[in-house]
Amino acid sequence: MADDDLSSPLLQSPRADQSHIIIAVQDDDSDSDPSYQDQPTRNQNHHRHSHNHNNHKDGRVRLSASSRNPYEFVGSDGLSVPGTTTADPFRNDTRKTIGVYEIVKIVVCVPIALARLVLFGLCLVVGFIATKLALQGWKDKQNPMPKWRCRIMWITRFSARCILFSFGYHWIRRKGKPAPREIAPIVVSNHISYIEPIFYFYELFPTIVASESHDSLPFVGTIIRAMQVIYVNRFSQSSRKNAVNEIKEFLQGDISLAMLMFRMFTQFHNFMEVEYLPVVFPNNNKKENALHFAEKTSHAIASALNVVQTSHSYGDVMLYMRASQLKQEKASIYMVEMARVESVSPYDEMPLFHISSLEAVGFLDKFLSMNPNSSGCVKLLEFLRVLRLKPCTLSEEIFGFIDVDKNGSITFKQFLFASAHVMKLPLFRQACELAFAECDTGGNGCISEHELGVAIRQAIPELNEDEIHGLFNLFDNDGDGRVSREDFLSCLRRNPLLVALFSTSLKHKDLSDAGKRTLEEIV
């Protein structure tokens, strides 16, 4: 397969940075402005919303096109948000087939199921004992398992095939053959059930990459250790157990593992087909990074299955579960293809955000506090309410930066990408450190409400005392009546878009140089 075929997407979705026309609509009683003529523009936010300060009786805010990037001072050249896929890989559209035939079949297969259950238990015990013998006294687990231990593991592998037989997989169709280990030492598979890992254990006896939570599974954990598993930690220690349980609950719905086993035991035969695809080699003419190589590999699998390739990950399930907990009717609209946010594909020509799933959930909490509508969109005034801002030129520039589609509302995906984009800009941390130093005019390591108000009014002069107090409370994380450096930086990490409030006070500063001096002083 050609390299272009592997790297090109199966279905093209419209990109958020495609050129289109921005049209400014003026009221009949307003003076026309020749500067707001229709013009093609790239949707990279070199335009802004400008607020009309005339009050409207219906409370609406008139917006018109303008051009200013409020985050240019920290190195932003505009925001680009990839289009949203219509595919939901976590949705199971298989219809329930419980009817007269299924009921009769289950009744007929109950005696068979009992025999299969006995076979399953016997094979599991035999495999466990063989694995314990193979692991007995083996301490040098950094090197491959000795051959005589591998020969003992053949008993476990045969037991695994018998377990598949007990589940009704009497024969398994194979298309193609696996390449020799010398040619293709890494096997990548789409993981869709509990069954195919058992098949691969029997067929290939690989060293697998698995979650740390699998190590504690009874029987299975011992067998996995014998495969010299490479453990990965998807979540922090405190949240791993709850996250894994929620993911299992989401993926399985109301069907437990015991019910799945019962349904397999009561089928005359279950079907499985394994297709070995051609080997995907890295490019020889250039050094290819891991992301590019992974993109080619996943595209090859998607092409063979004739399915849409998406960038969803376990992080999307966490977002779904959080939205469900907060009583969102359409929780699935808050899935954002987290693989793009955690480490973006090089084809998207976007920075690597490396935002963790837990950080994304925190941003989701902030977004849902803005009371999105049934379509998952937030208007300007609700956005400003949560960030403690008032309608003005700068606040509308911030909103316009996120609103890449220029339709007067923002989605969670746009809010997350904008927040991640700003937070990962090269000069963001320096800007935060220097902004604190500029606010701390007393030099005592803390910012008073008056000092914060003086700094922010340079950007938004119209703020009154109550509005300054609201922003101060947002920065005062521990509620002790003063904003320490830790409070200040923590607030901007949770609300990176607010760094624009200090753009006026920092615009004449050399952030790359001044930020380094500030960091040296702190150290």
Side-chain angles (χ1 to χ4, degrees):
M1 187 178 295
D3 181 63
D4 292 340
D5 294 333
L6 289 175
S7 59
S8 58
L10 293 174
L11 298 178
Q12 294 283 353
S13 58
R15 289 178 58 90
D17 61 348
Q18 288 179 339
S19 298
H20 59 283
I21 302 297
I22 302 297
I23 301 177
V25 180
Q26 301 287 347
D27 293 340
D28 294 338
D29 59 348
S30 62
D31 298 332
S32 61
D33 187 345
S35 65
Y36 292 142
Q37 296 179 351
D38 300 349
Q39 55 180 340
T41 176
R42 282 181 60 83
N43 191 7
Q44 297 221 346
N45 238 312
H46 299 293
H47 37 36
R48 67 171 172 89
H49 287 133
S50 178
H51 178 57
N52 184 343
H53 293 278
N54 294 330
N55 294 327
H56 292 258
K57 294 181 179 180
D58 58 2
R60 290 178 298 174
V61 178
R62 184 178 66 182
L63 302 176
S64 56
S66 184
S67 57
R68 183 179 179 274
N69 180 350
Y71 301 102
E72 189 173 3
F73 78 106
V74 285
S76 171
D77 59 356
L79 176 67
S80 179
V81 179
T84 301
T85 179
T86 57
D88 183 355
F90 302 112
R91 182 182 299 277
N92 187 347
D93 293 321
T94 304
R95 296 180 179 178
K96 294 183 178 180
T97 57
I98 295 296
V100 176
Y101 171 75
E102 284 294 317
I103 294 175
V104 171
K105 181 173 61 176
I106 290 174
V107 172
V108 171
C109 288
V110 165
I112 301 175
L114 294 175
R116 288 175 170 175
L117 181 60
V118 172
L119 176 61
F120 167 77
L122 181 62
C123 293
L124 192 62
V125 170
V126 171
F128 176 76
I129 294 174
T131 303
K132 292 290 287 186
L133 289 174
L135 292 175
Q136 188 66 33
W138 183 42
K139 297 181 180 180
D140 185 16
K141 298 181 180 181
Q142 299 300 321
N143 294 313
M145 182 178 287
K147 289 185 177 180
W148 70 269
R149 295 182 183 271
C150 291
R151 293 190 181 98
I152 296 177
M153 286 300 298
W154 264 106
I155 301 175
T156 309
R157 295 173 68 178
F158 181 75
S159 298
R161 182 62 186 93
C162 292
I163 288 175
L164 291 175
F165 188 88
S166 70
F167 284 151
Y169 297 95
H170 305 129
W171 63 86
I172 298 173
R173 183 184 177 189
R174 297 170 176 80
K175 295 175 64 176
K177 294 182 179 180
R181 294 194 179 207
E182 296 77 14
I183 297 177
I186 299 175
V187 178
V188 179
S189 171
N190 56 322
H191 184 18
I192 59 174
S193 70
Y194 296 103
I195 297 302
E196 84 272 1
I198 303 176
F199 169 80
Y200 286 121
F201 171 72
Y202 161 72
E203 180 92 341
L204 302 173
F205 190 54
T207 294
I208 64 173
V209 177
S211 171
E212 291 180 358
S213 60
H214 292 149
D215 185 71
S216 60
L217 295 175
F219 295 101
V220 177
T222 301
I223 297 175
I224 287 178
R225 286 193 293 273
M227 299 170 67
Q228 294 184 270
V229 62
I230 301 173
Y231 289 116
V232 295
N233 178 9
R234 293 192 181 101
F235 312 103
S236 67
Q237 181 69 29
S238 60
S239 64
R240 184 187 308 137
K241 182 177 180 179
N242 291 334
V244 171
N245 290 337
E246 288 179 352
I247 288 171
K248 289 180 179 179
E249 179 182 348
F250 171 67
L251 294 178
Q252 297 174 17
D254 296 330
I255 303 177
S256 64
L257 177 58
M259 179 57 68
L260 289 174
M261 293 176 63
F262 175 76
R263 291 304 306 275
M264 286 188 290
F265 284 153
T266 54
Q267 297 293 319
F268 293 124
H269 175 73
N270 286 306
F271 294 89
M272 176 190 293
E273 179 180 281
V274 178
E275 180 178 2
Y276 293 100
L277 301 177
V279 177
V280 178
F281 294 97
N283 291 337
N284 294 323
N285 58 345
K286 64 178 180 179
K287 186 176 181 180
E288 187 173 42
N289 62 37
L291 289 174
H292 191 175
F293 192 39
E295 187 82 11
K296 291 168 57 179
T297 304
S298 60
H299 187 85
I301 295 175
S303 299
L305 293 171
N306 195 27
V307 296
V308 177
Q309 184 180 359
T310 74
S311 298
H312 290 90
S313 70
Y314 280 112
D316 290 286
V317 182
M318 295 180 67
L319 292 173
Y320 178 95
M321 296 301 301
R322 184 57 178 165
S324 299
Q325 291 172 357
L326 297 178
K327 310 302 181 183
Q328 297 298 310
E329 294 182 1
K330 300 179 180 178
S332 61
I333 64 178
Y334 298 104
M335 295 193 295
V336 297
E337 298 184 84
M338 272 298 297
R340 289 179 179 268
V341 184
E342 293 168 320
S343 71
V344 181
S345 164
Y347 300 115
D348 294 324
E349 299 179 355
M350 296 173 62
L352 301 180
F353 293 143
H354 297 298
I355 296 296
S356 71
S357 299
L358 294 178
E359 288 177 302
V361 170
F363 284 117
L364 178 61
D365 288 341
K366 177 72 67 175
F367 185 82
L368 293 181
S369 68
M370 300 176 188
N371 296 325
N373 60 26
S374 59
S375 301
C377 297
V378 167
K379 299 291 185 179
L380 172 65
L381 294 181
E382 286 296 315
F383 171 79
L384 298 182
R385 174 184 61 81
V386 172
L387 292 186
R388 314 290 176 87
L389 300 176
K390 66 181 300 180
C392 65
T393 299
L394 177 60
S395 61
E396 289 160 13
E397 288 171 353
I398 296 173
F399 187 82
F401 179 83
I402 308 171
D403 180 17
V404 293
D405 295 329
K406 301 306 165 195
N407 57 11
S409 64
I410 61 173
T411 65
F412 171 63
K413 186 171 187 176
Q414 292 169 345
F415 177 73
L416 177 63
F417 270 73
S419 301
H421 168 81
V422 172
M423 188 163 58
K424 297 305 177 181
L425 287 171
L427 299 179
F428 174 75
R429 180 174 175 82
Q430 289 93 323
C432 295
E433 297 280 4
L434 192 56
F436 177 80
E438 290 289 310
C439 294
D440 182 20
T441 56
N444 58 358
C446 290
I447 301 174
S448 66
E449 185 170 329
H450 173 72
E451 290 174 327
L452 184 66
V454 170
I456 294 180
R457 280 196 176 108
Q458 295 183 50
I460 309 178
E462 304 89 351
L463 286 177
N464 58 39
E465 293 301 323
D466 290 338
E467 290 162 342
I468 290 294
H469 183 68
L471 279 168
F472 182 81
N473 288 337
L474 189 64
F475 278 88
D476 185 13
N477 188 44
D478 53 12
D480 61 354
R482 60 180 185 173
V483 176
S484 65
R485 174 179 171 272
E486 183 179 352
D487 289 338
F488 189 85
L489 298 181
S490 176
C491 177
L492 289 180
R493 282 194 297 268
R494 297 191 311 271
N495 307 277
L497 298 172
L498 290 181
V499 74
L501 294 176
F502 307 98
S503 58
T504 302
S505 59
L506 300 181
K507 65 181 180 181
H508 298 302
K509 304 287 184 180
D510 183 356
L511 293 182
S512 59
D513 181 53
K516 290 178 181 177
R517 290 200 306 270
T518 303
L519 288 174
E520 289 174 358
E521 292 172 359
I522 294 172
V523 174

